[in-house]
Amino acid sequence: MISSKECVSLILPTFILIFFLYFTFQTIHDPYLKTSKKLSLHGNFLHITDFHPDPHYIANSTLKSKCHGGRIKHKKKPKLSGTWGSSATKCDTPMSLINATFNWLEENWKDKLDFIIWTGDNARHDNDDNLPRSAEEVYELNRMIATKFLETFSNSKGIPRTTRTKTRFIPIVPSIGNNDIHPNNILLPGPNNVLSTLHSIWEPFIPESQRKTFLYGGYFYTEVIPKKLMVISLNTIYFYNTNTAVNGCKSPEQPGTIEMKWLRDLLKKARKLGMKVYLTGHVAPRKKQYVKSCYIKYKKLSIKYHDLILGHYYGHSNMDHFFFMGANKDLSKFRNESSSLTNYSDDDYDDDYYDDDYYSEDYDYYSEDSMDINSDDSIDNDSMDVNSDDSFTENNSTENNNSAEITSKSPVKKINKYLRKLYNHYRSVPPLTKGVGKEYVVIHINPSVIPVFYPALRIFKYNTTEVKNSEYEYNDEDDDDDDDDDDNLGSLKKKNKQPKGQDPNAPSHINTFLTPLGYTQYFINLTHSNLFPNNKPEYTVEYTTWDDYQMKDLTVPSWINLARQVTGRKLKSMLWSKIEDNLMVGARDVLENNNDNFQDGISKGPEDYLISDLDF
């Protein structure tokens, strides 16, 4: 007979052992165990954007019905929607393509990525008067996409059911898109019900320390590589000039102003800690998309902290391309290919460029400098001798006799106009002499999953070889020149001096630890895939920056060199043709053939389709 005291002496060690094993097991499988010093990096990350899932999409329905099952009323048989999506139309993304995308990611990249940048628009457009969006549908679609990310990149094996919904093994950083809210484009200052709802959906992705920040502003950051690299998710809806519920970044009480101050403080903190940064969001910083005060503040911070910022990654515009934000006021002299290195000096910079007084209320900031892609002044028709509207139309019409007529209002016409701007924008970039690279930042627009062209995504590769840098040491006084009101960055313009606090061995300018080395762009040729409705499509390589652009890395100097090469006489035809094709994700012919379907019925079209996005 065992006494009660003996029974306790036997049971107690057993319970202790059980608790020890339980908590040990939990720790081993804790998805937040990224703080381990033995962190193993794959050197890859994913950027994916603009899903726009449409649960109402019906295959083999008319394109003019937005692929929502419209009846055929024409004597001539119209073009119908495909099983896997309909490129160059006003239709959103069928669930078949959404599922195929996540299936491909799971099969090919689940255990090969270090983090994911996901830049918004996870609900369909509100472009069908017969089927208006509801708030419930918008948030349910956001929840569906979030769940797919968790299911694809999580491993719940061995984790209690009560915590499985919060499980993740790689950081996933979402951003709010203008169609992720209801009504679209309009977001009041936080805290509000919209941000609370998105917080409840994205809670597994938002670090606990950042949740209050998100509830108040819709932005946050994640240390995707602890103490080394953070990805900042900006709420660009507070900068977006279509959001009439707020008023820019000038008044202290405005949410855009508060967000910019948060960003500045965070960049200052990152510099002090020796961390590097990716800036991400939905709407890219363009002069005709950002409120003036927000655009100026973003540009100032980007240039001041260029050594920290490894990249600026955005979505929204659907087109694959890049453009520059520069500190020079006047770059028109560099349009002449005869400009030589000896014609360029530090004297070409305007010392007052960073002063807020420079931007008076009556200042026409849309024509601020000649190299800005958003300025109509950047179009020099006389100098643009490749791929004019006429040459594009003629070349394609001879190949496709059934092509739709290209009118002045057609998307093809607007794309050609944008391509002329882009070409002259690249021509305006100065030669890569000493210090030039530090006066520029590169803005990247990722192509979308929604098949405005063909669906696409990018896998980036970055340098994982850590190097100890003993030459650079942060000084607490390095950032004392900041001003809470105007973010005065005048110190950046001092000649022949390294700006205070900046890392001379920045991975954004030389190939070192964390430097992005290149990316592979994957796409689905829907024209081919829709011929086989019963075969699940696969993403295949469209191009790589190594092979197609001959880039050794993705530093700012490398992008400047590419822009110079694109407009160089010897390589112009080859590189520029590639950039043109890649901008439309290989679907140029599809866009031309579907011109009438894309253009028709735009009375209530979304502002972020390319047809209006190009109308600067």
Side-chain angles (χ1 to χ4, degrees):
M1 185 75 177
I2 300 176
S3 66
S4 58
K5 182 178 294 186
E6 290 176 330
C7 183
V8 170
S9 64
L10 290 174
I11 295 175
L12 186 58
T14 303
F15 272 103
I16 292 175
L17 178 61
I18 291 174
F19 275 107
F20 173 80
L21 292 175
Y22 174 81
F23 285 109
T24 300
F25 183 83
Q26 283 290 85
T27 302
I28 291 174
H29 291 82
D30 188 353
Y32 297 96
L33 200 60
K34 286 287 194 175
T35 55
S36 171
K37 294 183 179 180
K38 297 181 180 180
L39 179 65
S40 177
L41 298 175
H42 300 288
N44 303 311
F45 68 89
L46 163 69
H47 183 193
I48 192 167
T49 191
D50 291 78
F51 286 95
H52 290 290
D54 186 358
H56 309 286
Y57 183 102
I58 299 176
N60 297 315
S61 61
T62 62
L63 302 180
K64 291 186 178 182
S65 72
K66 312 297 187 299
C67 299
H68 289 159
R71 295 181 180 180
I72 299 176
K73 299 180 180 179
H74 307 280
K75 293 181 180 180
K76 184 179 178 180
K77 186 178 180 180
K79 295 180 180 179
L80 301 178
S81 58
T83 299
W84 303 106
S86 301
S87 296
T89 69
K90 284 291 186 179
C91 299
D92 281 313
T93 311
M95 293 306 302
S96 58
L97 178 56
I98 297 292
N99 293 332
T101 298
F102 280 99
N103 287 341
W104 182 84
L105 287 170
E106 182 171 15
E107 293 170 2
N108 293 275
W109 291 100
K110 178 173 183 176
D111 299 318
K112 301 175 184 178
L113 300 174
D114 295 323
F115 58 93
I116 296 172
I117 295 172
W118 161 30
T119 48
D121 267 8
N122 310 303
R124 69 181 178 95
H125 291 100
D126 192 16
N127 63 346
D128 189 348
D129 289 323
N130 298 318
L131 197 62
R133 302 190 317 170
S134 66
E136 291 75 14
E137 180 188 20
V138 169
Y139 300 131
E140 187 57 37
L141 289 173
N142 270 277
R143 185 172 289 105
M144 181 268 294
I145 295 294
T147 300
K148 285 189 174 295
F149 270 107
L150 288 172
E151 292 175 346
T152 301
F153 295 101
S154 298
N155 184 354
S156 60
K157 182 179 180 181
I159 296 179
R161 294 183 180 275
T162 56
T163 60
R164 283 186 182 181
T165 58
K166 298 183 180 181
T167 302
R168 83 175 189 273
F169 278 81
I170 61 172
I172 300 172
V173 187
S175 303
I176 300 176
N178 61 303
N179 285 288
D180 292 331
I181 55 182
H182 189 275
N184 61 312
N185 302 319
I186 305 300
L187 182 62
L188 293 166
N192 55 53
N193 291 334
V194 173
L195 294 178
S196 295
T197 302
L198 289 175
H199 174 271
S200 67
I201 296 171
W202 291 349
E203 186 176 2
F205 311 121
I206 303 172
E208 187 173 354
S209 63
Q210 293 295 300
R211 289 173 185 172
K212 183 177 179 180
T213 300
F214 186 90
L215 286 169
Y216 274 81
Y219 43 87
F220 68 100
Y221 73 90
T222 298
E223 292 190 20
V224 294
I225 303 179
K227 300 181 180 180
K228 300 183 187 300
L229 176 64
M230 68 171 67
V231 174
I232 299 176
S233 171
L234 295 173
N235 179 6
T236 59
I237 310 305
Y238 283 149
F239 312 148
Y240 195 25
N241 58 16
T242 309
N243 183 10
T244 57
V246 296
N247 188 24
C249 302
K250 193 169 184 179
S251 300
E253 73 279 1
Q254 286 296 319
T257 307
I258 297 170
E259 182 174 357
M260 282 295 182
K261 186 179 184 302
W262 171 84
L263 175 60
R264 189 201 63 189
D265 293 342
L266 185 56
L267 291 172
K268 186 188 297 187
K269 174 184 176 182
R271 174 171 286 166
K272 184 175 182 178
L273 296 175
M275 297 184 66
K276 305 307 177 186
V277 168
Y278 280 107
L279 292 185
T280 68
H282 185 64
V283 182
R286 298 176 182 268
K287 286 183 177 179
K288 290 195 175 181
Q289 290 182 325
Y290 275 27
V291 176
K292 172 182 174 180
S293 54
C294 300
Y295 177 84
I296 293 171
K297 288 180 182 293
Y298 185 98
K299 186 174 185 177
K300 288 178 176 181
L301 289 174
S302 297
I303 294 174
K304 176 170 184 177
Y305 293 95
H306 69 87
D307 58 314
L308 304 185
I309 303 171
L310 300 176
H312 304 248
Y313 294 153
Y314 293 89
H316 183 65
S317 298
N318 306 306
M319 301 173 297
D320 166 12
H321 66 297
F322 68 96
F323 58 89
F324 297 91
M325 297 175 70
N328 286 358
K329 181 184 177 183
D330 184 9
L331 296 177
S332 58
K333 67 178 66 180
F334 298 114
R335 284 197 180 165
N336 191 335
E337 289 297 329
S338 64
S339 295
S340 64
L341 298 182
T342 57
N343 290 334
Y344 176 77
S345 70
D346 288 337
D347 293 332
D348 292 321
Y349 291 112
D350 186 341
D351 288 337
D352 295 329
Y353 181 82
Y354 291 101
D355 294 340
D356 272 358
D357 291 341
Y358 182 82
Y359 299 99
S360 59
E361 287 302 317
D362 58 352
Y363 175 70
D364 182 11
Y365 86 118
Y366 288 122
S367 58
E368 174 191 331
D369 59 58
S370 60
M371 67 87 68
D372 196 285
I373 194 171
N374 304 290
S375 171
D376 290 334
D377 294 338
S378 65
I379 303 176
D380 182 0
N381 291 323
D382 293 335
S383 65
M384 181 62 181
D385 58 357
V386 294
N387 292 297
S388 65
D389 290 338
D390 294 337
S391 64
F392 178 86
T393 304
E394 180 181 353
N395 292 339
N396 284 275
S397 61
T398 56
E399 297 176 3
N400 298 290
N401 294 327
N402 296 326
S403 297
E405 181 182 357
I406 300 178
T407 67
S408 60
K409 295 182 179 180
S410 72
V412 172
K413 192 83 172 182
K414 290 181 178 293
I415 287 178
N416 287 328
K417 178 180 179 182
Y418 189 78
L419 285 170
R420 289 201 306 275
K421 288 186 178 184
L422 192 62
Y423 181 86
N424 284 294
H425 173 73
Y426 294 158
R427 289 187 69 222
S428 299
V429 176
L432 189 60
T433 55
K434 184 177 180 180
V436 170
K438 297 177 182 180
E439 298 291 346
Y440 291 89
V441 295
V442 186
I443 308 299
H444 299 275
I445 308 297
N446 207 73
S448 56
V449 173
I450 179 178
V452 171
F453 300 110
Y454 284 144
L457 52 83
R458 287 178 181 172
I459 301 292
F460 287 79
K461 181 171 285 294
Y462 66 96
N463 190 329
T464 59
T465 303
E466 190 167 4
V467 178
K468 295 294 183 180
N469 179 16
S470 58
E471 298 179 2
Y472 170 71
E473 184 176 352
Y474 177 84
N475 189 322
D476 287 337
E477 298 179 356
D478 285 345
D479 286 316
D480 285 349
D481 60 339
D482 278 336
D483 184 270
D484 288 339
D485 296 326
D486 60 10
D487 294 324
N488 188 351
L489 305 184
S491 62
L492 292 185
K493 305 304 297 176
K494 295 178 181 178
K495 299 178 185 178
N496 302 321
K497 290 184 179 181
Q498 176 70 27
K500 287 184 178 182
Q502 293 187 0
D503 185 354
N505 299 311
S508 57
H509 292 274
I510 63 173
N511 185 358
T512 184
F513 179 54
L514 299 179
T515 296
L517 301 174
Y519 65 78
T520 301
Q521 185 151 299
Y522 295 88
F523 82 122
I524 294 178
N525 186 326
L526 288 182
T527 301
H528 177 268
S529 296
N530 282 328
L531 297 175
F532 305 94
N534 295 323
N535 296 337
K536 184 180 66 175
E538 296 281 336
Y539 281 84
T540 57
V541 175
E542 181 190 6
Y543 74 93
T544 73
T545 53
W546 300 279
D547 297 332
D548 291 75
Y549 295 160
Q550 299 296 308
M551 298 179 73
K552 61 182 180 180
D553 54 46
L554 301 185
T555 58
V556 174
S558 293
W559 287 108
I560 291 177
N561 279 331
L562 177 63
R564 298 283 298 175
Q565 291 174 3
V566 162
T567 55
R569 294 183 178 181
K570 293 183 179 179
L571 297 176
K572 176 174 61 179
S573 59
M574 180 179 66
L575 278 176
W576 179 245
S577 294
K578 287 182 178 180
I579 285 183
E580 283 187 308
D581 290 339
N582 293 341
L583 181 139
M584 291 174 267
V585 198
R588 171 185 282 184
D589 292 340
V590 179
L591 179 65
E592 184 183 357
N593 292 332
N594 279 357
N595 178 61
D596 54 341
N597 294 304
F598 196 92
Q599 183 184 350
D600 185 67
I602 310 177
S603 59
K604 188 183 179 182
E607 77 296 327
D608 53 338
Y609 275 115
L610 74 139
I611 193 168
S612 53
D613 194 61
L614 295 178
D615 191 14
F616 293 108

mmCIF file with all atom_site columns, all heavy atoms in Angstrom, residues 137-150:
data_model
loop_
_atom_site.group_PDB
_atom_site.id
_atom_site.type_symbol
_atom_site.label_atom_id
_atom_site.label_alt_id
_atom_site.label_comp_id
_atom_site.label_asym_id
_atom_site.label_entity_id
_atom_site.label_seq_id
_atom_site.pdbx_PDB_ins_code
_atom_site.Cartn_x
_atom_site.Cartn_y
_atom_site.Cartn_z
_atom_site.occupancy
_atom_site.B_iso_or_equiv
_atom_site.pdbx_formal_charge
_atom_site.auth_seq_id
_atom_site.auth_comp_id
_atom_site.auth_asym_id
_atom_site.auth_atom_id
_atom_site.pdbx_PDB_model_num
ATOM 1   N N   . GLU A 1 137 ? -17.491 41.815 -48.001 1.00 0.00 ? 137 GLU A N   1
ATOM 2   C CA  . GLU A 1 137 ? -16.766 41.090 -49.038 1.00 0.00 ? 137 GLU A CA  1
ATOM 3   C C   . GLU A 1 137 ? -15.306 41.507 -49.090 1.00 0.00 ? 137 GLU A C   1
ATOM 4   O O   . GLU A 1 137 ? -14.407 40.670 -49.225 1.00 0.00 ? 137 GLU A O   1
ATOM 5   C CB  . GLU A 1 137 ? -17.412 41.329 -50.401 1.00 0.00 ? 137 GLU A CB  1
ATOM 6   C CG  . GLU A 1 137 ? -16.699 40.584 -51.521 1.00 0.00 ? 137 GLU A CG  1
ATOM 7   C CD  . GLU A 1 137 ? -17.206 40.966 -52.906 1.00 0.00 ? 137 GLU A CD  1
ATOM 8   O OE1 . GLU A 1 137 ? -17.824 42.037 -53.045 1.00 0.00 ? 137 GLU A OE1 1
ATOM 9   O OE2 . GLU A 1 137 ? -16.965 40.196 -53.845 1.00 0.00 ? 137 GLU A OE2 1
ATOM 10  N N   . VAL A 1 138 ? -15.047 42.804 -48.978 1.00 0.00 ? 138 VAL A N   1
ATOM 11  C CA  . VAL A 1 138 ? -13.676 43.307 -49.032 1.00 0.00 ? 138 VAL A CA  1
ATOM 12  C C   . VAL A 1 138 ? -12.822 42.665 -47.948 1.00 0.00 ? 138 VAL A C   1
ATOM 13  O O   . VAL A 1 138 ? -11.715 42.174 -48.208 1.00 0.00 ? 138 VAL A O   1
ATOM 14  C CB  . VAL A 1 138 ? -13.664 44.842 -48.891 1.00 0.00 ? 138 VAL A CB  1
ATOM 15  C CG1 . VAL A 1 138 ? -12.241 45.350 -48.678 1.00 0.00 ? 138 VAL A CG1 1
ATOM 16  C CG2 . VAL A 1 138 ? -14.285 45.501 -50.109 1.00 0.00 ? 138 VAL A CG2 1
ATOM 17  N N   . TYR A 1 139 ? -13.325 42.636 -46.732 1.00 0.00 ? 139 TYR A N   1
ATOM 18  C CA  . TYR A 1 139 ? -12.521 42.109 -45.629 1.00 0.00 ? 139 TYR A CA  1
ATOM 19  C C   . TYR A 1 139 ? -12.467 40.587 -45.662 1.00 0.00 ? 139 TYR A C   1
ATOM 20  O O   . TYR A 1 139 ? -11.468 39.993 -45.230 1.00 0.00 ? 139 TYR A O   1
ATOM 21  C CB  . TYR A 1 139 ? -13.079 42.618 -44.302 1.00 0.00 ? 139 TYR A CB  1
ATOM 22  C CG  . TYR A 1 139 ? -13.059 44.127 -44.239 1.00 0.00 ? 139 TYR A CG  1
ATOM 23  C CD1 . TYR A 1 139 ? -14.182 44.855 -43.852 1.00 0.00 ? 139 TYR A CD1 1
ATOM 24  C CD2 . TYR A 1 139 ? -11.912 44.835 -44.611 1.00 0.00 ? 139 TYR A CD2 1
ATOM 25  C CE1 . TYR A 1 139 ? -14.167 46.241 -43.825 1.00 0.00 ? 139 TYR A CE1 1
ATOM 26  C CE2 . TYR A 1 139 ? -11.886 46.215 -44.585 1.00 0.00 ? 139 TYR A CE2 1
ATOM 27  C CZ  . TYR A 1 139 ? -13.012 46.915 -44.203 1.00 0.00 ? 139 TYR A CZ  1
ATOM 28  O OH  . TYR A 1 139 ? -12.992 48.287 -44.184 1.00 0.00 ? 139 TYR A OH  1
ATOM 29  N N   . GLU A 1 140 ? -13.500 39.955 -46.192 1.00 0.00 ? 140 GLU A N   1
ATOM 30  C CA  . GLU A 1 140 ? -13.469 38.502 -46.311 1.00 0.00 ? 140 GLU A CA  1
ATOM 31  C C   . GLU A 1 140 ? -12.422 38.067 -47.344 1.00 0.00 ? 140 GLU A C   1
ATOM 32  O O   . GLU A 1 140 ? -11.726 37.066 -47.157 1.00 0.00 ? 140 GLU A O   1
ATOM 33  C CB  . GLU A 1 140 ? -14.841 37.971 -46.705 1.00 0.00 ? 140 GLU A CB  1
ATOM 34  C CG  . GLU A 1 140 ? -14.941 36.442 -46.685 1.00 0.00 ? 140 GLU A CG  1
ATOM 35  C CD  . GLU A 1 140 ? -14.585 35.852 -45.332 1.00 0.00 ? 140 GLU A CD  1
ATOM 36  O OE1 . GLU A 1 140 ? -14.931 36.457 -44.287 1.00 0.00 ? 140 GLU A OE1 1
ATOM 37  O OE2 . GLU A 1 140 ? -13.953 34.772 -45.309 1.00 0.00 ? 140 GLU A OE2 1
ATOM 38  N N   . LEU A 1 141 ? -12.304 38.835 -48.423 1.00 0.00 ? 141 LEU A N   1
ATOM 39  C CA  . LEU A 1 141 ? -11.278 38.523 -49.417 1.00 0.00 ? 141 LEU A CA  1
ATOM 40  C C   . LEU A 1 141 ? -9.884  38.751 -48.853 1.00 0.00 ? 141 LEU A C   1
ATOM 41  O O   . LEU A 1 141 ? -8.954  37.981 -49.119 1.00 0.00 ? 141 LEU A O   1
ATOM 42  C CB  . LEU A 1 141 ? -11.496 39.369 -50.672 1.00 0.00 ? 141 LEU A CB  1
ATOM 43  C CG  . LEU A 1 141 ? -12.719 38.986 -51.517 1.00 0.00 ? 141 LEU A CG  1
ATOM 44  C CD1 . LEU A 1 141 ? -12.935 39.988 -52.649 1.00 0.00 ? 141 LEU A CD1 1
ATOM 45  C CD2 . LEU A 1 141 ? -12.565 37.574 -52.095 1.00 0.00 ? 141 LEU A CD2 1
ATOM 46  N N   . ASN A 1 142 ? -9.708  39.797 -48.059 1.00 0.00 ? 142 ASN A N   1
ATOM 47  C CA  . ASN A 1 142 ? -8.429  40.017 -47.385 1.00 0.00 ? 142 ASN A CA  1
ATOM 48  C C   . ASN A 1 142 ? -8.109  38.859 -46.452 1.00 0.00 ? 142 ASN A C   1
ATOM 49  O O   . ASN A 1 142 ? -6.960  38.404 -46.377 1.00 0.00 ? 142 ASN A O   1
ATOM 50  C CB  . ASN A 1 142 ? -8.480  41.327 -46.596 1.00 0.00 ? 142 ASN A CB  1
ATOM 51  C CG  . ASN A 1 142 ? -8.022  42.521 -47.401 1.00 0.00 ? 142 ASN A CG  1
ATOM 52  O OD1 . ASN A 1 142 ? -6.833  42.785 -47.524 1.00 0.00 ? 142 ASN A OD1 1
ATOM 53  N ND2 . ASN A 1 142 ? -8.979  43.246 -47.962 1.00 0.00 ? 142 ASN A ND2 1
ATOM 54  N N   . ARG A 1 143 ? -9.119  38.389 -45.742 1.00 0.00 ? 143 ARG A N   1
ATOM 55  C CA  . ARG A 1 143 ? -8.919  37.274 -44.812 1.00 0.00 ? 143 ARG A CA  1
ATOM 56  C C   . ARG A 1 143 ? -8.549  36.001 -45.581 1.00 0.00 ? 143 ARG A C   1
ATOM 57  O O   . ARG A 1 143 ? -7.700  35.212 -45.143 1.00 0.00 ? 143 ARG A O   1
ATOM 58  C CB  . ARG A 1 143 ? -10.176 37.061 -43.975 1.00 0.00 ? 143 ARG A CB  1
ATOM 59  C CG  . ARG A 1 143 ? -10.026 36.003 -42.899 1.00 0.00 ? 143 ARG A CG  1
ATOM 60  C CD  . ARG A 1 143 ? -11.237 35.971 -41.988 1.00 0.00 ? 143 ARG A CD  1
ATOM 61  N NE  . ARG A 1 143 ? -11.305 37.154 -41.127 1.00 0.00 ? 143 ARG A NE  1
ATOM 62  C CZ  . ARG A 1 143 ? -12.143 38.169 -41.305 1.00 0.00 ? 143 ARG A CZ  1
ATOM 63  N NH1 . ARG A 1 143 ? -13.007 38.146 -42.300 1.00 0.00 ? 143 ARG A NH1 1
ATOM 64  N NH2 . ARG A 1 143 ? -12.128 39.210 -40.481 1.00 0.00 ? 143 ARG A NH2 1
ATOM 65  N N   . MET A 1 144 ? -9.166  35.809 -46.731 1.00 0.00 ? 144 MET A N   1
ATOM 66  C CA  . MET A 1 144 ? -8.883  34.631 -47.539 1.00 0.00 ? 144 MET A CA  1
ATOM 67  C C   . MET A 1 144 ? -7.432  34.617 -48.023 1.00 0.00 ? 144 MET A C   1
ATOM 68  O O   . MET A 1 144 ? -6.743  33.591 -47.935 1.00 0.00 ? 144 MET A O   1
ATOM 69  C CB  . MET A 1 144 ? -9.843  34.588 -48.733 1.00 0.00 ? 144 MET A CB  1
ATOM 70  C CG  . MET A 1 144 ? -9.664  33.382 -49.659 1.00 0.00 ? 144 MET A CG  1
ATOM 71  S SD  . MET A 1 144 ? -8.525  33.728 -51.031 1.00 0.00 ? 144 MET A SD  1
ATOM 72  C CE  . MET A 1 144 ? -9.459  34.954 -51.939 1.00 0.00 ? 144 MET A CE  1
ATOM 73  N N   . ILE A 1 145 ? -6.946  35.763 -48.511 1.00 0.00 ? 145 ILE A N   1
ATOM 74  C CA  . ILE A 1 145 ? -5.563  35.821 -48.984 1.00 0.00 ? 145 ILE A CA  1
ATOM 75  C C   . ILE A 1 145 ? -4.594  35.642 -47.822 1.00 0.00 ? 145 ILE A C   1
ATOM 76  O O   . ILE A 1 145 ? -3.575  34.937 -47.934 1.00 0.00 ? 145 ILE A O   1
ATOM 77  C CB  . ILE A 1 145 ? -5.290  37.156 -49.704 1.00 0.00 ? 145 ILE A CB  1
ATOM 78  C CG1 . ILE A 1 145 ? -6.129  37.249 -50.987 1.00 0.00 ? 145 ILE A CG1 1
ATOM 79  C CG2 . ILE A 1 145 ? -3.809  37.306 -50.036 1.00 0.00 ? 145 ILE A CG2 1
ATOM 80  C CD1 . ILE A 1 145 ? -5.756  36.248 -52.053 1.00 0.00 ? 145 ILE A CD1 1
ATOM 81  N N   . ALA A 1 146 ? -4.890  36.256 -46.678 1.00 0.00 ? 146 ALA A N   1
ATOM 82  C CA  . ALA A 1 146 ? -4.033  36.101 -45.502 1.00 0.00 ? 146 ALA A CA  1
ATOM 83  C C   . ALA A 1 146 ? -3.953  34.637 -45.078 1.00 0.00 ? 146 ALA A C   1
ATOM 84  O O   . ALA A 1 146 ? -2.876  34.130 -44.728 1.00 0.00 ? 146 ALA A O   1
ATOM 85  C CB  . ALA A 1 146 ? -4.552  36.964 -44.357 1.00 0.00 ? 146 ALA A CB  1
ATOM 86  N N   . THR A 1 147 ? -5.085  33.949 -45.102 1.00 0.00 ? 147 THR A N   1
ATOM 87  C CA  . THR A 1 147 ? -5.117  32.529 -44.733 1.00 0.00 ? 147 THR A CA  1
ATOM 88  C C   . THR A 1 147 ? -4.267  31.695 -45.679 1.00 0.00 ? 147 THR A C   1
ATOM 89  O O   . THR A 1 147 ? -3.559  30.772 -45.264 1.00 0.00 ? 147 THR A O   1
ATOM 90  C CB  . THR A 1 147 ? -6.559  32.017 -44.723 1.00 0.00 ? 147 THR A CB  1
ATOM 91  O OG1 . THR A 1 147 ? -7.324  32.766 -43.771 1.00 0.00 ? 147 THR A OG1 1
ATOM 92  C CG2 . THR A 1 147 ? -6.616  30.542 -44.364 1.00 0.00 ? 147 THR A CG2 1
ATOM 93  N N   . LYS A 1 148 ? -4.303  32.046 -46.967 1.00 0.00 ? 148 LYS A N   1
ATOM 94  C CA  . LYS A 1 148 ? -3.511  31.303 -47.938 1.00 0.00 ? 148 LYS A CA  1
ATOM 95  C C   . LYS A 1 148 ? -2.016  31.489 -47.688 1.00 0.00 ? 148 LYS A C   1
ATOM 96  O O   . LYS A 1 148 ? -1.228  30.545 -47.852 1.00 0.00 ? 148 LYS A O   1
ATOM 97  C CB  . LYS A 1 148 ? -3.892  31.707 -49.360 1.00 0.00 ? 148 LYS A CB  1
ATOM 98  C CG  . LYS A 1 148 ? -5.229  31.134 -49.813 1.00 0.00 ? 148 LYS A CG  1
ATOM 99  C CD  . LYS A 1 148 ? -5.485  31.347 -51.272 1.00 0.00 ? 148 LYS A CD  1
ATOM 100 C CE  . LYS A 1 148 ? -6.762  30.622 -51.707 1.00 0.00 ? 148 LYS A CE  1
ATOM 101 N NZ  . LYS A 1 148 ? -6.616  29.146 -51.575 1.00 0.00 ? 148 LYS A NZ  1
ATOM 102 N N   . PHE A 1 149 ? -1.615  32.689 -47.296 1.00 0.00 ? 149 PHE A N   1
ATOM 103 C CA  . PHE A 1 149 ? -0.207  32.903 -46.942 1.00 0.00 ? 149 PHE A CA  1
ATOM 104 C C   . PHE A 1 149 ? 0.176   32.041 -45.742 1.00 0.00 ? 149 PHE A C   1
ATOM 105 O O   . PHE A 1 149 ? 1.249   31.419 -45.726 1.00 0.00 ? 149 PHE A O   1
ATOM 106 C CB  . PHE A 1 149 ? 0.046   34.374 -46.631 1.00 0.00 ? 149 PHE A CB  1
ATOM 107 C CG  . PHE A 1 149 ? 0.436   35.193 -47.826 1.00 0.00 ? 149 PHE A CG  1
ATOM 108 C CD1 . PHE A 1 149 ? -0.455  36.085 -48.392 1.00 0.00 ? 149 PHE A CD1 1
ATOM 109 C CD2 . PHE A 1 149 ? 1.692   35.066 -48.389 1.00 0.00 ? 149 PHE A CD2 1
ATOM 110 C CE1 . PHE A 1 149 ? -0.097  36.846 -49.493 1.00 0.00 ? 149 PHE A CE1 1
ATOM 111 C CE2 . PHE A 1 149 ? 2.072   35.820 -49.492 1.00 0.00 ? 149 PHE A CE2 1
ATOM 112 C CZ  . PHE A 1 149 ? 1.167   36.722 -50.043 1.00 0.00 ? 149 PHE A CZ  1
ATOM 113 N N   . LEU A 1 150 ? -0.692  32.017 -44.741 1.00 0.00 ? 150 LEU A N   1
ATOM 114 C CA  . LEU A 1 150 ? -0.391  31.228 -43.543 1.00 0.00 ? 150 LEU A CA  1
ATOM 115 C C   . LEU A 1 150 ? -0.329  29.741 -43.859 1.00 0.00 ? 150 LEU A C   1
ATOM 116 O O   . LEU A 1 150 ? 0.559   29.028 -43.380 1.00 0.00 ? 150 LEU A O   1
ATOM 117 C CB  . LEU A 1 150 ? -1.450  31.499 -42.473 1.00 0.00 ? 150 LEU A CB  1
ATOM 118 C CG  . LEU A 1 150 ? -1.387  32.871 -41.802 1.00 0.00 ? 150 LEU A CG  1
ATOM 119 C CD1 . LEU A 1 150 ? -2.609  33.081 -40.919 1.00 0.00 ? 150 LEU A CD1 1
ATOM 120 C CD2 . LEU A 1 150 ? -0.115  33.017 -40.987 1.00 0.00 ? 150 LEU A CD2 1
#
